[in-house]
Structure formats: C-alpha cells, structure tokens
Amino acid sequence: MNLQSIRRTGFKSFAGLLLLGALSVTQGACMQPPSRTARLTEAAREMNLAARFGRMDLAAEHAATGARDHFLKRRSQWGNDIRVVDVELSGLSLKDDSNAVVQVDVAWTRMDEGQLRTTRVGQQWQDREGSWRLVREKRIAGDFGLFGEPIEDVE
C-alpha cells in the first residue's frame, strides 16, 4: 500500500487493516497449554528436587492429601541421618488419562559413612482436576535405607 492509496481509503481504514493484521499474527502465536506429560514431568521434577534440597513443605504440596503424611514420614531422616546427593527422573509412563508411573533415581549417603548408594523409586501419580499428585511410591531397585528401612534386616 502506498501513500496515495492510504489517502484515498482514509487513515482510519489503514489503521484498521494494521490492527487486523496484528491480531492475526498474535492469534497464530498463542501458546498451547502444556501437555499432560509436560505437566506431570514438571510436577515430579519440582517435588523430587524440593525434597532433595530439604524443602519438604514445597515437596509435600505435590502429594495427594491421603498420601501426604506417609510421604513426609518416609523422608523424615533426609537432612539428618541421610543426605540426598542427587535425584534424576529416569522414566515416565502414562497408564491412561489420569494415571502414570514415574521412576526416580536417588543418589544418597548415610551421614555416618561415606558410601554412595543409589535407589530407584517408582512413584504412582494421578491427575486430579488438572493437577498431578503423588499417590504412592515404593523402592523398585537399588539400596535399602533411603526411606528409613532397617538395613540390618535386608543385608
């Protein structure tokens, strides 16, 4: 469009065309909401990292209401008798629209020794009204003792 055609059609029409063009560009650039898998990954990562750094208040927010006390009890020795060195999400599988299993590798050591231990934890998650919540977990491989299990009984 040149200056002559802008004068003929009027400035208001030209401004309207610019606005219409801007709207079409921004509508095409709208972000899609995160996928179910992305929301699960984010929730699991946030919970496990918060727990790793001793932020049990933040971590427990990701546990389902009925699982919260058990979640906190299992981690009661973290930061005292057990030092968590690293956590890593090692697997994720969606069972259906609202159930998933996340595998987490935890590297840890007991404070009274220098031996690095690793434990793989299977966490079951449920999507409850758009928010993923941890409902239960168990040790599926690796060293015992991460959740306060008596090591003497299993070694």
Side-chain angles (χ1 to χ4, degrees), residues 40-117:
L40 171 60
T41 302
E42 181 180 350
R45 183 172 287 125
E46 283 178 8
M47 186 203 66
N48 285 291
L49 283 175
R52 181 250 186 266
F53 288 109
R55 295 297 315 265
M56 294 305 170
D57 55 333
L58 296 176
E61 290 177 4
H62 292 285
T65 304
R68 196 163 290 146
D69 289 341
H70 189 66
F71 172 85
L72 291 170
K73 182 179 178 184
R74 289 172 58 99
R75 288 164 175 76
S76 64
Q77 294 180 351
W78 290 23
N80 297 316
D81 298 331
I82 294 175
R83 179 176 164 241
V84 177
V85 178
D86 193 22
V87 294
E88 182 179 334
L89 300 185
S90 59
L92 181 146
S93 66
L94 292 171
K95 300 298 182 190
D96 56 40
D97 284 346
S98 60
N99 294 286
V101 175
V102 175
Q103 292 184 4
V104 182
D105 290 335
V106 182
W108 59 281
T109 185
R110 291 174 21 172
M111 294 291 201
D112 61 351
E113 65 180 32
Q115 180 180 356
L116 183 64
R117 300 171 184 265

